[in-house]
Amino acid sequence: MILVVSGTNRLGSNALKIARQVWAIHQAMDATAALLDLTEMPLGLLAPQAYERKPEAFAPMAAAFLKADGIAMVVPEYQGSLPGALKLFLDMAPAPESFEGRAFCFIGLSAGGGGGVRPVEHLQQILGYGKAHLYPERVFLPKISALLDADGRLRDEGMLERLRRQAAGFMDFVRRLRAA
Ligand SMILES: Cc1cc2nc3c(=O)[nH]c(=O)nc-3n(C[C@H](O)[C@H](O)[C@H](O)COP(=O)(O)O)c2cc1C
């Protein structure tokens, strides 16, 4: 099962719009694909006590993350890096089992021209530290507002094709890792 993670908890997030499309691409190849939306992260996760005792509402999110065979991270650029909400999610996920030997792929997006290279590379560094397997073909979506139509959907056929190719390649990567 592939889990698509929308990498921010901002309301009206473009990352969530893209994550929904990436999820649909994965679902067309494997109906079990799922979406993890960080707006569902309990606010109590930021409490000082949360390091010792996680809020109950975090358990299903952590379980979904752990259950996935592969995780597609959709990461927007915030202050030249990844959103703090995503880093908090990763800090609170059970370690090392959430990361070690797990397969990840990356889609970056930004308001500016960078396309999310910086947050993706920062995230690759974090997950590399956690001994994850990082699928090398990344997709970057610069100037995201111009790429989305009035319904918040990506219509650029070239970009969609890149996402489809990445999804197919990532599935193969996940299958090979499982077989190894
Ligand atoms: C707190 C914050 C910081 C941001 N920093 C950057 C940035 O450093 N570079 C950039 O190109 N866009 C930046 N943006 C714009 C986001 O990349 C843009 O909102 C994009 O739509 C993806 O994020 P979203 O999922 O929150 O919509 C920032 C947005 C927010 C909310």
Side-chain angles (χ1 to χ4, degrees), residues 77-137:
E77 178 160 335
Y78 283 10
Q79 309 303 356
S81 187
L82 59 137
L86 176 57
K87 183 59 164 64
L88 180 66
F89 178 86
L90 297 175
D91 287 345
M92 293 302 178
E97 62 269 35
S98 294
F99 311 113
E100 200 169 325
R102 314 285 313 286
F104 290 84
C105 76
F106 305 91
I107 296 117
L109 63 143
S110 68
V117 173
R118 282 175 288 241
V120 163
E121 294 198 337
H122 293 173
L123 188 54
Q124 286 186 296
Q125 199 175 355
I126 292 165
L127 295 171
Y129 171 83
K131 299 182 183 156
H133 296 293
L134 311 181
Y135 183 63
E137 191 178 318

